[in-house]
């Protein structure tokens, strides 16, 4: 694996390959659009043959934290129903600047599937390449087995993050906007403290995506991640979605082992015993 990305031109040339599976992961935060907005966007128009992966449905249900990673049994069962399994080359895209396609890419990697890629530039790049769209549900041929081989080092718990912050042994990179990280802006989730995990560093996911909706070039990424491109890293954000954009960017630089704090700020700040730092004087 030399890159976690594929271009729209590549996908257009390979879309009919029998082992290709395309996943639409379009998702919008609830405070930006109403519930189900991602699925509605998919149903209006999607890349031909794409199935829809709903991160609010393929998730753990034994927690009140949003879209947490499900166990391997549930994940395997759900992706099999989407017609995705062993031997497939998976291409994930979305309509919102990587924010959920990177999350789904990371989820497949946690479950041990290495042949998974993100469409650079998402749906916009596909349309600009002259790719067709459809609004019909795809014909899904089920039955393909998905064998999970969980890569536990790619996901971190609050306890592990607390230990990393205390010992400063692993850098913690926060993908939220600067105002929320610094504590000068309120969190969009009502009642949640703003600020950041002690000793963490702010690298907003928006700084990783260009005006064209594609990941910024490697020179820009290298400058942003100069100290992190070959070392263990924990990525965090509001609820474990945009943190995966950091993991994706690091993979593009050759660091495939960036972990994601799944509960992220929602879990950390929701526990009053966890320390919170701000840049507010």
């Amino acid at each position: 694996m030399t890159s976690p990305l594929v271009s729209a031109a590549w996908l257009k040339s390979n879309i009919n390959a029998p082992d290709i599976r395309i996943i639409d992961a379009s998702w919008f935060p609830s405070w930006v659009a109403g519930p189900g907005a991602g699925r509605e966007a998919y149903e209006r128009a999607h890349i031909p043959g794409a199935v829809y992966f709903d991160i609010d449905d393929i998730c753990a249900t034994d927690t009140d934290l949003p879209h947490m990673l499900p166990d391997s049994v549930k994940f395997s069962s759900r992706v099999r129903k989407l017609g995705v399994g062993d031997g497939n080359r998976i291409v994930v895209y979305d309509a919102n600047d990587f924010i959920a396609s990177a999350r789904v890419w990371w989820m497949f990697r946690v479950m041990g599937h290495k042949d998974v890629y993100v469409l650079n530039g998402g749906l916009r790049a596909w349309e600009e390449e002259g790719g067709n769209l459809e609004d019909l549900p795809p014909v899904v041929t089920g039955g393909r087995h998905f064998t999970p081989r969980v890569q536990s080092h790619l996901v971190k718990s609050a306890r592990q993050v607390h230990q990393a912050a205390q010992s400063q042994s692993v850098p913690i990179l926060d993908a939220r906007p600067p105002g929320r990280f610094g504590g000068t802006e309120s969190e969009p989730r009502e009642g949640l403290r703003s600020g950041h995990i002690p000793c963490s560093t702010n690298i907003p996911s928006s700084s990783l995506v260009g005006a064209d909706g594609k990941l910024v070039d490697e020179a820009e990424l290298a400058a942003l991640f100069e100290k992190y491109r070959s070392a263990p890293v924990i990525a965090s954000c509001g609820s474990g979605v945009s943190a995966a954009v950091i993991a994706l960017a690091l993979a593009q630089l050759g660091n495939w082992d960036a972990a994601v704090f799944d509960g992220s700020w929602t879990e950390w700040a929701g526990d009053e015993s966890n320390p919170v730092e701000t840049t507010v004087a």
Side-chain angles (χ1 to χ4, degrees):
M1 299 173 69
T2 58
S3 172
L5 304 172
V6 296
S7 68
W10 182 92
L11 181 58
K12 196 174 179 185
S13 296
N14 290 273
I15 192 169
N16 293 319
D19 63 332
I20 292 288
R21 296 293 183 272
I22 305 171
I23 292 176
D24 186 315
S26 295
W27 175 84
F28 301 88
S30 58
W31 55 88
V32 173
R39 182 178 290 277
E40 291 169 5
Y42 165 80
E43 291 174 349
R44 284 194 299 272
H46 53 264
I47 295 174
V51 294
Y52 184 65
F53 189 113
D54 186 350
I55 64 170
D56 285 325
D57 178 56
I58 305 178
C59 63
T61 55
D62 57 353
T63 174
D64 58 358
L65 295 170
H67 39 251
M68 291 284 282
L69 189 72
D71 64 34
S72 60
V73 174
K74 179 175 183 177
F75 186 88
S76 176
S77 172
R78 292 300 184 88
V79 300
R80 286 179 65 189
K81 290 178 181 177
L82 295 178
V84 177
D86 298 345
N88 285 149
R89 286 182 291 170
I90 301 168
V91 177
V92 191
Y93 75 92
D94 65 38
N96 193 19
D97 292 344
F98 293 106
I99 195 166
S101 55
R103 168 79 185 187
V104 173
W105 166 84
W106 169 78
M107 291 174 73
F108 272 98
R109 293 198 66 243
V110 171
M111 295 298 166
H113 196 94
K114 294 183 178 180
D115 222 355
V116 56
Y117 307 90
V118 174
L119 177 60
N120 198 11
L123 191 63
R124 189 196 330 178
W126 175 256
E127 292 185 89
E128 290 173 352
E129 189 63 31
N132 294 327
L133 297 174
E134 65 181 18
D135 59 3
L136 300 172
V139 176
V140 176
T141 55
R144 180 178 287 272
H145 190 64
F146 182 91
T147 307
R149 299 177 177 87
V150 177
Q151 307 296 303
S152 57
H153 68 287
L154 295 178
V155 56
K156 298 299 180 185
S157 66
R159 178 184 59 80
Q160 291 170 311
V161 172
H162 195 279
Q163 290 172 345
Q166 273 195 322
S167 64
Q168 299 184 42
S169 55
V170 180
I172 302 167
L173 307 182
D174 192 318
R176 290 176 301 147
R180 289 165 60 188
F181 178 86
T184 59
E185 294 179 9
S186 298
E187 283 292 310
R189 288 180 173 81
E190 187 175 352
L192 201 63
R193 295 176 290 170
S194 58
H196 57 267
I197 298 166
C199 302
S200 59
T201 300
N202 190 208
I203 301 183
S205 61
S206 60
S207 68
L208 307 177
V209 181
D212 59 359
K214 298 178 182 178
L215 210 63
V216 298
D217 63 37
E218 286 194 33
E220 289 183 70
L221 292 178
L224 286 166
F225 292 107
E226 181 180 3
K227 296 184 290 186
Y228 313 112
R229 59 187 303 171
S230 61
V233 164
I234 298 172
S236 182
C237 60
S239 62
V241 181
S242 61
V245 183
I246 288 179
L248 181 73
L250 282 166
Q252 180 68 0
L253 291 173
N255 183 351
W256 292 86
D257 293 320
V260 168
F261 174 19
D262 199 17
S264 280
W265 190 248
T266 302
E267 181 175 11
W268 184 271
D271 183 344
E272 293 295 329
S273 69
N274 285 330
V276 169
E277 290 186 350
T278 71
T279 56
V280 181

